[in-house]
Amino acid sequence: AFSLSGAVSSQDRIYALKQAKLTLDGMKADLDLSVDMNGTVPFLKGKVALDRLNAADYLLDKKQATTQGWSTELLSLTGLKLADADVAITADRFTLGMFVITQGAMHVVLRDAKLSAEVTRAALFGGSATGLVTADGAASVPAVTIKMDVKSVAMKELLQSAINLYWISDSWNY
């Protein structure tokens, strides 16, 4: 199920969608976006507020993921060359498998194939996180960096959800 309503405008090759309401697969979002087509690549600017997002629904073929595990293909960041962007994103609930983030907020900037996603707020596993994720698709060798500041997080549950690490115990015997 999909629906989209909002105010659409166009002037001098800048297309805008304002005060828009989107529903998709039960998810709801408020959008204020514009696309400027005057540069060498499109420039997307605006705000997106999601009530929830289950990323697994859009990232992988679930059957393939369970039977084949992680891909061994080289990471390609060439898609970062297709557009520039400056977008603020909030999500009340973001889910990827057992990994759940609530009250998430990030600012994403993409310029000249270099992506910067600053996580300004995220509640997860009983704690919180902030940080910066970068991806450089402009260099001859693509690079991804992740720097996170995580506080008061239940590490056992985090590691179980993120990398299926189950041998950690709540109690230690000395």
Side-chain angles (χ1 to χ4, degrees), residues 4-174:
L4 177 64
S5 64
V8 177
S9 65
S10 171
Q11 183 176 357
D12 299 326
R13 295 180 35 103
I14 300 173
Y15 307 94
L17 178 62
K18 300 293 181 186
Q19 299 176 341
K21 303 285 185 192
L22 167 75
T23 60
L24 176 65
D25 299 332
M27 170 183 55
K28 296 178 183 174
D30 294 324
L31 310 169
D32 276 305
L33 298 170
S34 67
V35 178
D36 185 338
M37 301 299 287
N38 290 303
T40 56
V41 296
F43 175 62
L44 176 68
K45 183 175 176 94
K47 295 187 258 185
V48 176
L50 302 162
D51 69 338
R52 62 183 172 88
L53 174 63
N54 185 351
D57 289 343
Y58 306 102
L59 293 177
L60 299 172
D61 175 351
K62 292 178 185 177
K63 184 176 180 182
Q64 179 183 2
T66 58
T67 59
Q68 296 178 356
W70 288 98
S71 171
T72 58
E73 294 294 318
L74 295 176
L75 177 65
S76 172
L77 299 179
T78 57
L80 298 179
K81 297 176 182 178
L82 300 176
D84 287 340
D86 186 341
V87 180
I89 303 169
T90 59
D92 293 337
R93 183 177 180 86
F94 173 83
T95 306
L96 181 58
M98 293 175 47
F99 201 82
V100 179
I101 296 173
T102 59
Q103 303 168 358
M106 72 169 47
H107 183 208
V108 178
V109 175
L110 175 58
R111 292 261 194 261
D112 301 323
K114 295 179 182 179
L115 176 80
S116 169
E118 180 183 8
V119 178
T120 57
R121 181 182 73 232
L124 68 159
F125 300 99
S128 65
T130 57
L132 182 65
V133 177
T134 63
D136 186 349
S140 59
V141 176
V144 176
T145 62
I146 301 171
K147 296 179 182 179
M148 299 298 290
D149 181 15
V150 180
K151 295 181 180 171
S152 303
V153 169
M155 288 305 294
K156 177 182 175 187
E157 288 79 9
L158 172 66
L159 292 172
Q160 287 173 343
S161 295
I163 59 173
N164 292 328
L165 183 60
Y166 287 96
W167 56 265
I168 295 177
S169 172
D170 288 334
S171 61
W172 295 89
N173 296 323
Y174 294 100

